[in-house]
Amino acid sequence: MNLLAVFLLLLGVRLASVFLVQTYFVPDEYWQCLEVAHKLVFGYGYLTWEWIRGIRSYIYPLLFAGLYKALALFHLDTTTLLVLAPRILQALISTFSDYRFFIWSGKKKWSIFLITISWFWFYTGSRTLSNTLEASLTTIALSYYPWIGEGTGYIWPAAICCFLRPTAVIIWIPLFMYHLGNSKYSPYKLIFTKLVVIGALVGASCVAIDSYIHGKLLITPYEFFKYNVLQGVGSFYGTHPWYWYYSTGLPMILGINFLPFLFGSIDTVRNYDAFPIRRKLLVTLMTSLTVYSFVEHKEIRFILPLLPICLFVCVDVLTRWSYKASRYQIWIVAVILLFGNIVPAYYSGQVHQRGPTDLMPKLQEISKIYKDEGNNRASIFFLMPCHSTPFYSHIHENVTMKFITCEPNFQLQYGERPVDEQFYEAPNIWIKRHIPVHPKTAMPTHLVLFESLSDKISEFLESYSLIHKIAHAEYFEERRGKHILVYQRRLFNEKNSFNQNNHDTIQNDEYNQNSFNNLL
Ligand SMILES: *[C@@H]1O[C@H](CO)[C@@H](O)[C@H](O)[C@H]1NC(C)=O
């Protein structure tokens, strides 16, 4: 097979996903990456508590900060490019990882087929999520791992992976143990002349970079461990039952590919000695899933790095099956797998949670051109669950933007309750206390909210008019909704009853003004 052609095909699919995947997945794609990079390069951007406390490494945002800087130097820092370029960069990294997957899994047709159609990888492979980089680096490392023969090159990408996301250690401990057991080198030599040396070099460079940017000596994996494990901050963000990764997580990321995977796993268990590589992979997979299962806070993206392992098993089992199957059978299976992946890829990439992608260009335009009666620029308040949309990285205008925060408990003073809890318990009271209504120009010029909230705060919204209604999801949750609404403040004399309506809050103006300014 022509390797260049394979590479170009993989590149085409990854680049296509940049344009075809137009939905919102998780906050971290923006808030733990692009927002940070934007702040580094352009001086404004919102840093969440993770960055204030230094539990995240700057390595990943730095990639995109470099890109932003380059665009800025050439005066190409338009919002379109600021949004696209980072995704293209991640798509290139993912392409290389796909290519390595192809090499690793024996340069089979099934390798190309499965890695390109995998719906979850299509959905995540071009997102600026540290889990995406972790998955790419894991695939690259797996492809250099000495499954047969000898080699230690894989330790480099694996070490970077572990520094970026300390939980990656979980995958690499069993694999390194296998390596120790099978290597012709002594464990002493492998540990002290390879693992420790490479680990120290990677670790020292990363610590140096992080400490430089944070301005003090900082070992981010240690801080991460301190907050997540010792203080159990993770469970603040929601918990799932222990079996969730087995019952939901893994079947979900694999989709219909779960069938060949299951078949391959059973086959591997039955013919234990015939498939040494598959055996090692399954042991690694099971150990990792088990360890992940102990952590209360579970998210589907955490097991993304296990996807290449599963796909390897699928490729192997399908390739072996193809030797004895008829052409007709192979086509049937391929078509079923293709459609089984296209449907969720389409739905997740084009339909589900599309709102923020369509919303941000509208807010961008407002931020750029809007001027109120007093010739002030737009000030936007997101009255929605925290981090429901991207932020400055997709606006690229230094206008005032605020949102309902959701700091974990340890960030708050004793007796204080998280802002989002207070807000959703009694939105009207919260608004009266925190959003000044007099003079009218002190009110935010624009509000962004899910439609489920609009009925509850209708009185407040009387001072605003609806200017955009954007489709978001097809189901209704308590705090979210099918549509995202954008409201714009009415002009002064457009509504005469305005002052009367809000009469009871006027005496609190000074207090309101201050709390609005101090809100964030
Ligand atoms: C952004 O705006 C804020 C508030 O107006 C101002 O304090 C800050 O200096 C601005 N930052 C940049 C980089 O322009």
Side-chain angles (χ1 to χ4, degrees):
M1 239 176 283
N2 183 339
L3 292 184
L4 180 65
V6 171
F7 185 84
L8 291 178
L9 173 71
L10 297 170
L11 179 65
V13 172
R14 262 339 121 217
L15 288 181
S17 79
V18 172
F19 298 93
L20 292 177
V21 176
Q22 289 294 328
T23 49
Y24 173 95
F25 177 34
V26 285
D28 290 31
E29 182 176 353
Y30 316 104
W31 294 81
Q32 304 292 356
C33 177
L34 298 183
E35 201 58 26
V36 180
H38 195 275
K39 167 94 180 170
L40 275 181
V41 175
F42 300 107
Y44 59 100
Y46 188 91
L47 294 184
T48 59
W49 69 269
E50 284 96 334
W51 298 91
I52 311 291
R53 301 249 169 167
I55 73 165
R56 298 285 174 132
S57 169
Y58 267 103
I59 309 295
Y60 192 49
L62 264 185
L63 271 179
F64 304 108
L67 202 57
Y68 281 171
K69 191 79 200 168
L71 288 173
L73 282 180
F74 293 103
H75 301 288
L76 289 172
D77 53 327
T78 62
T79 339
T80 314
L81 282 179
L82 291 187
V83 171
L84 273 184
R87 291 195 59 192
I88 292 177
L89 177 61
Q90 178 56 58
L92 294 177
I93 300 172
S94 299
T95 304
F96 180 65
S97 118
D98 290 352
Y99 179 74
R100 290 303 308 176
F101 177 81
F102 168 72
I103 304 283
W104 170 44
S105 52
K107 302 187 189 168
K108 301 288 192 272
K109 285 191 187 122
W110 282 113
S111 324
I112 309 174
F113 186 70
L114 287 180
I115 199 77
T116 50
I117 66 165
S118 165
W119 83 270
F120 195 67
W121 188 230
F122 192 79
Y123 181 57
T124 51
S126 62
R127 290 184 187 273
T128 50
L129 262 180
S130 58
N131 309 84
T132 304
L133 181 66
E134 184 190 358
S136 328
L137 285 174
T138 305
T139 312
I140 295 168
L142 286 169
S143 77
Y144 287 107
Y145 183 86
W147 299 103
I148 27 179
E150 193 59 62
T152 50
Y154 76 95
I155 299 179
W156 288 99
I160 299 175
C161 225
C162 294
F163 194 89
L164 277 179
R165 293 199 58 87
T167 45
V169 173
I170 298 168
I171 300 182
W172 290 103
I173 288 176
L175 287 172
F176 188 71
M177 302 293 246
Y178 274 129
H179 186 194
L180 283 184
N182 296 340
S183 173
K184 64 180 193 292
Y185 299 119
S186 69
Y188 174 84
K189 190 165 175 212
L190 271 182
I191 292 177
F192 290 99
T193 64
K194 294 292 176 187
L195 184 69
V196 171
V197 173
I198 297 175
L201 282 173
V202 169
S205 331
C206 295
V207 169
I209 292 173
D210 278 335
S211 304
Y212 176 74
I213 302 181
H214 276 289
K216 61 171 193 245
L217 181 68
L218 200 63
I219 303 171
T220 49
Y222 170 70
E223 302 292 324
F224 177 86
F225 176 77
K226 215 167 72 181
Y227 282 102
N228 279 287
V229 181
L230 304 184
Q231 298 201 17
V233 168
S235 51
F236 170 83
Y237 292 104
T239 61
H240 283 294
W242 65 268
Y243 52 81
W244 188 82
Y245 284 129
Y246 300 95
S247 65
T248 312
L250 196 64
M252 201 160 150
I253 65 166
L254 282 175
I256 196 166
N257 301 347
F258 193 68
L259 295 177
F261 172 71
L262 203 63
F263 189 75
S265 309
I266 295 171
D267 191 35
T268 311
V269 174
R270 280 213 188 124
N271 307 295
Y272 197 75
D273 290 324
F275 306 114
I277 298 182
R278 260 154 62 173
R279 194 177 68 210
K280 286 180 198 170
L281 285 173
L282 284 179
V283 169
T284 307
L285 177 79
M286 283 304 155
T287 347
S288 308
L289 275 185
T290 308
V291 177
Y292 282 130
S293 295
F294 277 104
V295 183
E296 278 194 325
H297 176 60
K298 300 183 176 66
E299 279 187 53
I300 193 157
R301 62 193 172 98
F302 293 165
I303 54 171
L304 180 58
L306 301 176
L307 184 63
I309 294 182
C310 302
L311 290 182
F312 181 96
V313 174
C314 296
V315 169
D316 197 52
V317 83
L318 284 169
T319 305
R320 284 168 205 274
W321 168 79
S322 302
Y323 292 140
K324 14 180 226 248
S326 72
R327 228 188 144 85
Y328 177 69
Q329 286 171 319
I330 294 176
W331 269 100
I332 296 249
V333 168
V335 168
I336 293 176
L337 289 179
L338 180 64
F339 277 94
N341 279 286
I342 281 184
V343 173
Y346 169 77
Y347 176 73
S348 61
Q350 283 284 323
V351 184
H352 183 62
Q353 297 190 355
R354 196 194 161 92
T357 317
D358 295 335
L359 167 74
M360 294 323 274
K362 297 194 161 64
L363 295 184
Q364 207 280 328
E365 199 181 306
I366 290 170
S367 311
K368 205 166 166 179
I369 61 178
Y370 178 85
K371 287 275 164 44
D372 76 355
E373 309 87 311
N375 210 26
N376 301 307
R377 303 186 75 186
S379 58
I380 306 173
F381 208 129
F382 294 77
L383 293 174
M384 26 175 45
C386 62
H387 313 151
S388 290
T389 64
F391 217 46
Y392 283 107
S393 63
H394 283 48
I395 298 280
H396 196 47
E397 293 284 339
N398 189 13
V399 294
T400 307
M401 297 208 288
K402 292 175 197 271
F403 62 97
I404 306 288
T405 55
C406 52
E407 311 270 83
N409 289 326
F410 70 88
Q411 283 287 96
L412 304 170
Q413 314 227 311
Y414 181 75
E416 230 181 322
R417 287 170 53 233
V419 177
D420 56 339
E421 243 177 64
Q422 298 178 31
F423 177 78
Y424 278 102
E425 205 171 83
N428 282 309
I429 296 179
W430 192 91
I431 285 172
K432 277 193 179 146
R433 285 212 188 121
H434 295 96
I435 302 188
V437 293
H438 188 80
K440 204 180 171 192
T441 44
M443 297 170 81
T445 63
H446 293 83
L447 302 175
V448 183
L449 45 119
F450 283 107
E451 66 182 342
S452 51
L453 186 71
S454 61
D455 290 341
K456 296 182 192 148
I457 59 166
S458 52
E459 192 186 320
F460 177 62
L461 290 178
E462 278 173 22
S463 320
Y464 288 83
S465 27
L466 179 67
I467 55 168
H468 294 296
K469 181 170 183 176
I470 297 162
H472 178 62
E474 40 314 302
Y475 61 89
F476 214 77
E477 275 177 58
E478 196 197 336
R479 293 184 182 183
R480 296 173 203 272
K482 293 183 184 172
H483 294 95
I484 295 177
L485 310 178
V486 181
Y487 285 86
Q488 181 165 300
R489 202 173 66 202
R490 289 175 196 267
L491 293 177
F492 271 120
N493 39 16
E494 208 175 293
K495 193 158 190 336
N496 296 330
S497 62
F498 170 71
N499 280 335
Q500 271 160 12
N501 274 350
N502 295 282
H503 190 69
D504 52 342
T505 56
I506 288 177
Q507 62 266 33
N508 283 332
D509 272 347
E510 211 147 329
Y511 168 67
N512 285 339
Q513 183 88 51
N514 286 336
S515 40
F516 182 65
N517 291 336
N518 293 336
L519 196 59
L520 297 174

